Amino acid sequence: MSMTQTRFENLQEAIKTYGAAAFENLLRSKGFAEAVLAGFPGYLECASECVKAAPPAGPFDPTKDYGEAAFSYSHREVIVLEPIIFGVALTVKNFEDSGSLWLRTALSVEVTGDTFDVFVARQPLIRIPLDYEEKLEPVFDAIYREFLNTFQLEVLEFNDKRFATGIGFVPESAPPAPEK
C-alpha cells in the first residue's frame, strides 16, 4: 500500500488491473477461437459450413449459427478472468444414407503469460504462442483425434449418456411434396 493511497483506493486499483486482464484474456481468447473455427475446415479439407461454433455443453442445433452464444462468457453480465470455453461442432454427411452425423467437442482457451493454454475436451494441455498464425495444427490435430476417437472407441456404447449431447443424426431435408 502506498503512503498516498487509502486501502480502498488500493482495492480500486487492483480491481482495475483485474478488469483489464480479464478483458484482454476474453479478446485474445475469442480471436484465437475464431481462428480455430475458421482454419479447421481447411485442415479437414471439408466445406466451411461443416464446422460451426456451438455451445460447449447441453442441447443444441448443429445447423444453427450460435455466434456469441457459443462462448462461455456470453451469459455473464460481468467479464471475469477465466478460460473461455466454446464448442466446435462438425457435421459429416453419411455415405450409407441420406443424412448427416454431427459431433461436438469443447475447447477451453486462456492466456497464460506469452501463450494460450488450450484444452480440447479432456486431452492434455496444448500451449500455443500468442502469435498463433500458422501455428494451430496441434489444436486441429487434437480436435480431429477427439472426433475420431468418438467413433473408434465409443461407437458400440449406445447407452453412454454422452451421446445424448455429443453426437447425433440430422436427416437430410425431404423434398417438398408435389402440388396437386
Side-chain angles (χ1 to χ4, degrees), residues 4-86:
T4 59
Q5 285 188 315
T6 67
R7 287 181 179 88
F8 187 74
E9 289 169 334
N10 282 338
L11 285 172
Q12 286 178 312
E13 190 64 32
I15 289 169
K16 180 179 172 186
T17 302
Y18 174 89
F23 193 66
E24 178 182 353
N25 180 67
L26 183 144
L27 289 179
R28 286 181 178 259
S29 295
K30 184 175 184 290
F32 181 89
E34 289 170 348
V36 167
L37 290 160
F40 194 54
Y43 170 88
L44 288 179
E45 299 177 79
C46 70
S48 61
E49 59 268 11
C50 293
V51 176
K52 295 189 185 287
F60 80 106
D61 177 349
T63 64
K64 181 178 174 184
D65 180 1
Y66 282 88
E68 294 287 316
F71 296 90
S72 58
Y73 63 80
S74 69
H75 304 293
R76 290 190 168 277
E77 291 184 22
V78 176
I79 297 171
V80 295
L81 188 54
E82 66 182 5
I84 302 301
I85 303 169
F86 66 101

